[in-house]
Amino acid sequence: MRVSVDSDRCCSSGMCVWTAPDIFDQSETDGTVVLLLPEPPARLRDPARKAAADCPCRAITITGDEGAG
Ligand code: SF4
């Protein structure tokens, strides 16, 4: 699994940081998303999927997700 973010689309909601704080943070200057962990380990993949699904601005993309683990 690989996570990517589009900070131009991010509307600084903070949802992803709430859902997966090991993977996402927010900029201290403008609140936009900061990607901490682009290749999350197995235990963080469900939170990563949830963060992508719940992002109100569709700013999070997941690729190479084999579906298990
Ligand atoms: S959930 Fe989406 S819009 Fe909100 S901070 Fe994260 S990337 Fe940005």
Side-chain angles (χ1 to χ4, degrees), residues 14-42:
M15 287 286 293
C16 57
V17 182
W18 183 260
T19 303
D22 291 326
I23 303 174
F24 304 99
D25 199 357
Q26 281 181 278
S27 163
E28 290 185 12
T29 53
D30 62 7
T32 56
V33 64
V34 175
L35 182 60
L36 302 176
L37 207 53
E39 296 186 29

Side-chain angles (χ1 to χ4, degrees), residues 6-63:
D6 182 345
S7 56
D8 289 338
R9 291 182 69 106
C10 175
C11 49
S12 309
S13 73
M15 287 286 293
C16 57
V17 182
W18 183 260
T19 303
D22 291 326
I23 303 174
F24 304 99
D25 199 357
Q26 281 181 278
S27 163
E28 290 185 12
T29 53
D30 62 7
T32 56
V33 64
V34 175
L35 182 60
L36 302 176
L37 207 53
E39 296 186 29
R43 69 182 175 85
L44 295 178
R45 288 177 190 161
D46 277 346
R49 292 181 190 109
K50 179 167 174 47
D54 290 351
C55 174
C57 301
R58 293 283 178 256
I60 301 171
T61 302
I62 291 179
T63 54

